[in-house]
């Protein structure tokens, strides 16, 4: 991955209810992301074939696609766990990355079973020299996900949803500039999943980081994201703006229409969709089609 | 109820003692084959009064402790090194596995030629015996740390030192403890053999000396002391295990 210092164009204000400033409560500055011609292969299998994507600072982007479309690979590239074979990935500039890092939330909580909850959250401050403040910062991050009183317990006594909340606190404690979420709610039951979605939206609104969520649940993408990118065969097949004001209502007809549109694209019906989605309330401008 | 449960493990040993005593009293067990428990206890009391018991137990415990520490430390260090470094494992593991297949007690004649019957011979044998179980289990423990956790630590910018200290060592610890408990068993086994064959002190020497004078009660007492020392060492390890692995539900209030 080549990380150059050219910063993507200035902050594009998010949708209606988003705070205008990219600087969040946690003190981190949201990082803009730009991918240019990103290619990634594993052996003879080309997983990503030339991805071009610009994510303005502070945007909540969802990436949806079938299994094996390359969405998780794209996220691993953003998090720096893998390197691209070709193309460039620019995530803010080095100075801002040092201050507000890129953090990844995995599909599994990946907590250290031998460390108490607070110590697990402190892992999020690794290499950031938080020193004696670490404990207090971790406690504050735990409070943000509603688990302040469980700080002294072992991870093994927590439920799956609570463990994922600890993992979220671990990602938030360093005031990330970019939070990459790799289907973090995939293994949770439906109700816990809804609670987690609300929590993620809440902390994103409060801290104002750039968020990239990989999911196969289109409903989840529509509920959370400003914008949904559909990946198919390692390329961007559609780029949909979700222009629904927050807080969003579940089961909203507008959301259902966008969900239906994205699902059609996912199932390969992209050629039949017209450019511009008709929402139930009339003519709402919803940008569709691959972005230039 | 919990008190009764605490006594439960001692029911069988107690029963054996009662049957043994009764068998001796009734003349079913001849005293030259197996003296009554009361006679064995008396022999133990005499040894305690003469100071012989404490001196020999002290010598044996010292040999066990030092030999175990040397062998265990080398085994742990090499296990960690080979677990972390592919190069080191390729270089050393095959050789170590070959040496491992030689029963360490088969080295006794050679060890006597090298060190005579001094302390070094016993320490060497104990250390050699302890080395392998600790090495093999440490290596296995390091290798079986969840790669997902290691990847997470890397993604969160953990330094290699922190990675070893906070992820790899705690992850390998349950396996290391298995090696320690195996090693302790081997420690006593090695010591019995080494002290029986070539020593002028220690519990094994005490038993061999008593055999010369046909003091069966002392021989039996020495054997019981070994059982007791082994049990004490194992209990200490279990206590440590429960403290260090409290995070693991399998070890909690076991």
């Amino acid at each position: 991955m080549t990380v150059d210092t050219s910063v993507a164009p200035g902050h594009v204000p998010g949708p209606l209810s988003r705070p205008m400033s990219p600087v969040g409560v946690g003190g981190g500055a949201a990082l803009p992301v730009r991918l240019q011609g990103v290619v990634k292969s594993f052996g003879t299998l080309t997983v990503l074939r030339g991805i071009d994507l610009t994510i303005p600072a502070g945007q909540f982007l969802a990436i949806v696609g079938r299994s094996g479309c390359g969405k998780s690979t794209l996220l691993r590239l953003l998090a720096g766990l893998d390197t691209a074979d070709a193309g460039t990935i620019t995530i803010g500039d080095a100075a801002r990355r040092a201050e507000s890092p890129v953090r990844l939330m995995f599909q599994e909580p990946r907590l250290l079973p031998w460390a108490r909850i607070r110590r697990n959250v402190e892992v999020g401050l690794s290499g950031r020299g938080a020193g004696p403040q670490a404990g207090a910062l971790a406690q504050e991050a735990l409070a943000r996900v509603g688990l302040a009183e469980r700080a002294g317990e072992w991870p093994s006594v927590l439920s799956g949803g609570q463990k994922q909340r600890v993992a979220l606190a671990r990602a938030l404690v360093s005031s990330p500039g970019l939070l990459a979420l790799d289907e973090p709610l995939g293994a949770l039951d439906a109700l816990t999943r809804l609670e987690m979605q609300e929590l993620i939206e809440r902390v994103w609104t409060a801290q104002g980081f750039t968020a990239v969520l990989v999911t196969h649940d289109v409903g989840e993408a529509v509920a959370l994201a400003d914008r949904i990118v559909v990946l198919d065969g390692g390329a961007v097949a559609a780029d949909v703006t979700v222009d629904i004001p927050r807080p969003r209502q579940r089961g909203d007809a507008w959301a259902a229409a966008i969900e239906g549109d994205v699902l059609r694209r996912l199932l390969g019906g992209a050629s039949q969709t017209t450019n511009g989605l008709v929402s139930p309330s009339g003519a709402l401008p919803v940008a569709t089609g691959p972005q230039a | 109820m919990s008190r009764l449960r605490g006594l439960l493990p001692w029911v069988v040993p107690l029963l054996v003692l009662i049957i043994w005593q009764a068998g001796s009293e009734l003349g079913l067990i001849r005293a030259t084959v197996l003296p009554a428990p009361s006679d064995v206890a008396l022999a133990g009391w005499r040894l305690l009064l003469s100071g012989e018991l404490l001196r020999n137990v002290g010598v044996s415990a010292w040999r066990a402790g030092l030999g175990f520490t040397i062998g265990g430390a080398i085994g742990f260090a090499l296990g960690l090194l080979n677990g972390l470094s592919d190069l080191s494992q390729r270089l050393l593991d095959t050789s170590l596995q070959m040496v491992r297949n030689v029963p360490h007690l088969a080295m006794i004649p050679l060890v006597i030629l090298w060190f005579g019957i001094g302390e070094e011979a016993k320490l060497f044998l104990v250390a050699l015996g302890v080395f392998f179980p600790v090495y093999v289990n440490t290596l296995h423990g390091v290798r079986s740390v969840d790669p997902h956790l290691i990847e997470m630590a890397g993604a969160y910018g953990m330094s290699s030192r922190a990675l070893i200290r906070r992820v790899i060592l705690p992850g390998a610890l349950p396996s290391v403890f298995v090696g320690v408990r195996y090693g302790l068993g081997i420690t006593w086994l090695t010591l019995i053999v080494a002290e029986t064959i070539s020593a002028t002190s220690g519990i094994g020497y005490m038993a061999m000396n008593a055999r010369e004078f046909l003091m069966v009660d002392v021989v039996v007492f020495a054997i019981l002391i070994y059982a007791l020392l082994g049990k004490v060492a194992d209990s200490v390890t279990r206590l440590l295990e429960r403290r260090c692995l409290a995070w693991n539900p399998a070890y909690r209030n076991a």
Side-chain angles (χ1 to χ4, degrees):
Chain A
M1 183 172 75
T2 35
V3 179
D4 61 51
T5 46
S6 67
V7 185
H11 171 64
V12 176
L16 313 174
S17 62
R18 290 272 295 110
M20 298 298 282
S21 161
V23 179
V25 169
L31 297 167
V33 179
R34 183 144 64 165
L35 292 93
Q36 285 167 303
V38 169
V39 175
K40 178 72 187 172
S41 316
F42 294 103
T44 54
L45 184 74
T46 304
V47 182
L48 297 175
R49 31 188 106 231
I51 302 277
D52 293 306
L53 198 61
T54 302
I55 311 170
Q59 187 173 63
F60 200 127
L61 175 80
I63 301 175
V64 297
R66 299 158 178 271
S67 303
C69 71
K71 55 189 194 297
S72 281
T73 305
L74 185 59
L75 208 69
R76 290 177 63 86
L77 292 180
L78 283 181
L81 288 177
D82 281 322
T83 45
D85 298 330
T88 57
I89 299 175
T90 315
I91 303 173
D93 58 76
R96 283 166 76 184
R97 261 203 318 279
E99 196 182 299
S100 35
V102 179
R103 285 298 186 232
L104 176 60
M105 226 181 129
F106 300 91
Q107 194 162 2
E108 324 81 30
R110 301 200 185 181
L111 303 181
L112 303 176
W114 44 81
R116 307 259 181 193
I117 304 297
R118 190 190 296 110
R119 295 287 287 169
N120 260 296
V121 176
E122 283 173 28
V123 168
L125 294 165
S126 298
R128 296 182 56 75
Q133 282 188 341
L137 286 170
Q139 192 63 42
E140 193 200 319
L142 275 173
R144 251 176 278 163
V145 300
L147 285 175
E149 73 285 2
R150 310 297 294 269
E153 293 183 35
W154 299 114
S156 60
V157 302
L158 298 187
S159 69
Q162 288 170 329
K163 282 181 192 164
Q164 223 26 322
R165 268 151 72 190
V166 175
L168 180 62
R170 181 178 63 193
L172 295 178
V173 71
S174 55
S175 312
L178 169 64
L179 180 61
L181 304 129
D182 189 4
E183 297 191 44
L185 314 183
L188 303 180
D189 64 86
L191 213 60
T192 313
R193 183 186 279 208
L194 287 183
E195 284 171 9
M196 276 299 283
Q197 288 172 6
E198 275 170 28
L199 178 64
I200 288 172
E201 189 179 23
R202 206 159 57 235
V203 294
W204 169 73
T205 312
Q207 286 191 244
F209 46 80
T210 310
V212 179
L213 167 74
V214 158
T215 181
H216 52 239
D217 179 351
V218 179
E220 183 170 293
V222 174
L224 288 174
D226 296 327
R227 175 180 166 205
I228 299 173
V229 163
V230 179
L231 275 193
D232 190 24
V236 176
D239 193 332
V240 182
T241 300
V242 185
D243 222 350
I244 308 175
R246 297 174 194 270
R248 291 175 178 170
Q249 294 292 311
R250 281 263 152 190
D252 186 295
W254 196 352
I258 295 177
E259 193 175 330
D261 181 51
V262 173
L263 270 174
R264 260 194 310 282
R265 285 158 191 277
L266 260 178
L267 296 172
S271 54
Q272 292 142 30
T273 7
T274 49
N275 204 21
L277 184 77
V278 179
S279 77
S281 57
L284 274 151
V286 177
T288 54
Q291 215 183 43
Chain B
M1 191 60 209
S2 63
R3 239 174 161 178
L4 276 177
R5 282 176 65 95
L7 292 176
L8 210 55
W10 298 102
V11 168
V12 172
L14 207 68
L15 219 60
V16 169
L17 269 184
I18 291 169
I19 293 169
W20 176 7
Q21 180 75 42
S24 299
E25 300 273 338
L26 294 172
L28 295 174
I29 307 170
R30 274 194 302 162
T32 47
V33 175
L34 195 61
S38 53
D39 291 340
V40 173
L42 262 172
W45 182 245
R46 279 199 311 273
L47 288 170
L48 184 68
L49 287 184
S50 71
E52 219 179 315
L53 177 65
L54 282 183
R55 191 168 50 81
N56 284 319
V57 166
V59 166
S60 289
W62 179 78
R63 285 173 186 154
L66 193 61
F68 178 86
T69 308
I70 295 170
I74 299 174
F76 177 77
L78 273 180
L80 191 63
L81 182 70
N82 287 0
L84 294 173
S85 156
D86 250 351
L87 180 73
S88 162
Q89 199 204 6
R90 281 179 170 278
L91 183 69
L92 297 174
D93 193 55
T94 306
S95 317
L96 288 173
Q97 296 300 339
M98 282 197 290
V99 180
R100 185 168 77 94
N101 284 305
V102 178
H104 68 293
L105 293 176
M107 302 277 285
I108 287 179
L110 195 61
V111 168
I112 291 177
L113 284 175
W114 285 348
F115 300 109
I117 60 165
E119 288 305 308
E120 299 94 333
K122 271 144 278 193
L123 291 179
F124 179 82
L125 279 173
V126 171
L128 188 67
V130 168
F131 169 80
F132 288 106
V134 174
Y135 166 73
V136 168
N137 283 288
T138 304
L139 177 61
H140 172 258
V142 171
R143 291 269 152 156
S144 53
V145 174
D146 185 356
H148 277 162
L149 292 181
I150 296 174
E151 188 184 66
M152 182 279 296
Y156 276 78
M158 218 184 251
S159 65
S160 355
R161 257 184 70 187
L163 178 74
I164 292 174
R165 199 167 52 82
R166 296 186 65 177
V167 181
I168 292 176
L169 281 183
L173 205 55
S175 189
V176 174
F177 268 116
V178 172
V180 165
R181 286 177 74 175
Y182 264 104
L184 280 175
I186 289 181
T187 299
W188 294 117
L189 176 82
T190 311
L191 215 54
I192 295 166
V193 176
E195 288 184 344
T196 310
I197 291 174
S198 61
T200 53
S201 60
I203 307 164
Y205 165 75
M206 195 172 82
M208 282 313 280
N209 209 30
R211 184 199 58 114
E212 305 247 341
F213 300 103
L214 292 174
M215 294 157 77
V216 192
D217 47 359
V218 174
V219 174
V220 173
F221 183 73
I223 293 169
L224 289 179
I225 287 290
Y226 270 123
L228 199 68
L229 286 176
K231 173 69 187 160
V232 167
D234 195 59
S235 297
V236 170
T237 318
R238 283 176 80 136
L239 199 75
L240 273 176
E241 214 171 35
R242 244 196 289 173
R243 281 193 69 100
C244 297
L245 306 179
W247 53 271
N248 191 331
Y251 293 96
R252 219 171 288 152
N253 53 63

